[in-house]
């Protein structure tokens, strides 16, 4: 167990930050799932709208440090290609 006050403060801060990051990542996953759902339904217009909403959320995850930038780029690229194939 940590003894120094600074170490105790760091533990408290890290717990809060972990919860915050978890909610951010869950939000990104929710938007991705909406695109997946639209893709399985086969509606290209709905899938495109969901993708347009998901892309800024994915990039926001990168900005906040929840996702690696290349992971986000890969996810967006794969979603884009799947939406394009619906046509």
């Amino acid at each position: 167990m940590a003894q120094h006050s600074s170490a105790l403060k760091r533990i408290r801060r890290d717990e809060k930050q972990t919860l915050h990051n978890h909610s951010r990542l869950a939000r990104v996953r929710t938007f991705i799932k909406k695109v997946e759902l639209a893709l399985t339904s086969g509606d290209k217009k709905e899938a495109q709208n969901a993708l347009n909403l998901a892309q800024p959320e994915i990039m926001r995850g990168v900005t906040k440090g929840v996702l690696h930038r290349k992971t986000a780029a890969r996810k967006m690229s794969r979603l884009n290609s799947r939406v394009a194939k619906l046509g």
Side-chain angles (χ1 to χ4, degrees):
M1 183 65 194
Q3 299 295 322
H4 297 284
S5 61
S6 62
L8 293 169
K9 181 179 179 180
R10 186 180 66 240
I11 290 169
R12 289 193 307 269
R13 186 196 62 216
D14 289 349
E15 287 174 358
K16 291 177 193 173
Q17 194 62 42
T18 300
L19 289 174
H20 204 183
N21 284 342
H22 181 71
S23 67
R24 284 178 178 151
L25 189 57
R27 182 174 167 85
V28 171
R29 286 186 186 134
T30 301
F31 277 87
I32 291 173
K33 285 177 188 175
K34 288 179 183 176
V35 178
E36 296 280 342
L37 188 65
L39 285 168
T40 56
S41 71
D43 186 7
K44 183 169 183 169
K45 186 171 181 168
E46 183 183 336
Q48 187 64 48
N49 289 337
L51 181 63
N52 289 341
L53 293 174
Q55 284 179 336
E57 285 298 323
I58 294 171
M59 292 314 296
R60 193 168 294 122
V62 173
T63 304
K64 299 296 182 182
V66 178
L67 286 173
H68 192 272
R69 63 184 172 84
K70 290 189 177 182
T71 302
R74 183 180 66 245
K75 286 182 182 294
M76 286 193 300
S77 174
R78 288 180 181 173
L79 288 174
N80 270 322
S81 64
R82 288 176 63 194
V83 169
K85 284 181 184 177
L86 278 181

